[in-house]
Amino acid sequence: MIKTPEKARRKTIRRANGTLQLPIQPLADVSSGPDYLIAHACFTCRKSWKMTACEKGNVCPHCGKAVFEMGRSFKAPRKSDTEQWQK
């Protein structure tokens, strides 16, 4: 963007008068970020689904056993592939 001398002159006048309003950016709330979906898996019924890390109830909705947080990049194997589920 090319500033013309006239535009620069007007800007300095507004700054001197105190009428130039600089854009105010709100402070980012560091404590609350976006809720990412994280893969969770149940090794008993060999199912996986994604839910937020904040959700409580780390119990499988199908069998009632414990579920494990697997990370955001986890890709579940097929249910019939028991060898991969053993890994």
Side-chain angles (χ1 to χ4, degrees), residues 2-22:
I2 301 173
K3 291 185 179 181
T4 61
E6 177 62 21
K7 185 174 182 178
R9 186 186 66 79
R10 288 190 316 239
K11 193 171 189 179
T12 55
I13 292 171
R14 287 195 307 256
R15 272 196 195 136
N17 292 338
T19 57
L20 177 67
Q21 295 180 355
L22 298 174

Side-chain angles (χ1 to χ4, degrees), residues 2-68:
I2 301 173
K3 291 185 179 181
T4 61
E6 177 62 21
K7 185 174 182 178
R9 186 186 66 79
R10 288 190 316 239
K11 193 171 189 179
T12 55
I13 292 171
R14 287 195 307 256
R15 272 196 195 136
N17 292 338
T19 57
L20 177 67
Q21 295 180 355
L22 298 174
I24 299 173
Q25 296 178 351
L27 296 175
D29 187 12
V30 179
S31 63
S32 65
D35 290 332
Y36 292 108
L37 294 178
I38 299 174
H40 289 71
C42 174
F43 295 114
T44 307
C45 50
R46 291 182 294 214
K47 292 184 180 180
S48 76
W49 56 94
K50 291 189 176 187
M51 54 196 244
T52 60
C54 301
E55 288 184 34
K56 294 183 179 176
N58 292 333
V59 178
C60 177
H62 302 285
C63 67
K65 303 238 174 145
V67 296
F68 299 94

